[in-house]
Amino acid sequence: MKERTLAILKPDCIRKNLQGKVINHLLKEGFNIIGMKMVKLTKETAGEFYTVHKERPFYADLVNFMTESRVIPMALERENAVAELRKVIGATDPAEAEEGTIRKLYADSKEQNIIHASDSLENAGIELNFFFSIRELIENL
Ligand code: CMP
């Protein structure tokens, strides 16, 4: 079934000028980009986005990192988009990620791991809603 999911190119991706490579990788894997923008998160908006991790020891560092620079949220569509995107990006920790995955290729650590992906269809809906209005999500015909 065709699904939509959210990816975010994180500050390390921007700092390392890997935006083009990562976007190309996603396109080659059959994702349609139906929405894309560049935003600067604040402590408040990043904190709200990662509210599920609020009690985790890495929460403050995560919020600091995600507010270091602009980020690029993308709405992606394809068959089984949620699971397929997680497969393509690889494990949270690049040391554990499979060969050829985005994090294995480009990430330095589990804290700075290039790209975020929604972890379920339900969260994909919530996270897409966080960054995009319905009007901004343009169906690829
Ligand atoms: P992401 O997919 O954006 O969702 C939560 C993020 O927390 C995760 O990627 C990691 O980059 C980050 N993070 C930082 N430290 C840890 C940790 N110890 N375990 C899991 N995630 C972590």
Side-chain angles (χ1 to χ4, degrees), residues 123-136:
N123 282 339
I126 294 167
E127 293 183 357
L128 285 165
N129 224 7
F130 189 90
F131 285 107
F132 295 97
S133 72
I134 296 290
R135 282 190 309 282
E136 290 172 315

Side-chain angles (χ1 to χ4, degrees), residues 6-52:
L6 180 85
I8 308 174
L9 304 188
K10 296 184 178 187
D12 54 330
C13 182
I14 314 283
R15 185 178 68 238
K16 292 160 88 178
N17 272 331
L18 291 168
Q19 305 93 315
K21 285 204 166 81
V22 174
I23 290 169
N24 205 29
H25 195 120
L26 296 172
L27 292 172
K28 276 196 197 145
E29 291 288 347
F31 292 91
N32 285 325
I33 300 173
I34 61 166
M36 178 156 68
K37 58 175 69 170
M38 187 172 260
V39 299
K40 175 76 168 65
L41 294 171
T42 62
K43 300 275 186 264
E44 289 69 33
T45 49
E48 191 189 337
F49 182 79
Y50 280 119
T51 197
V52 291

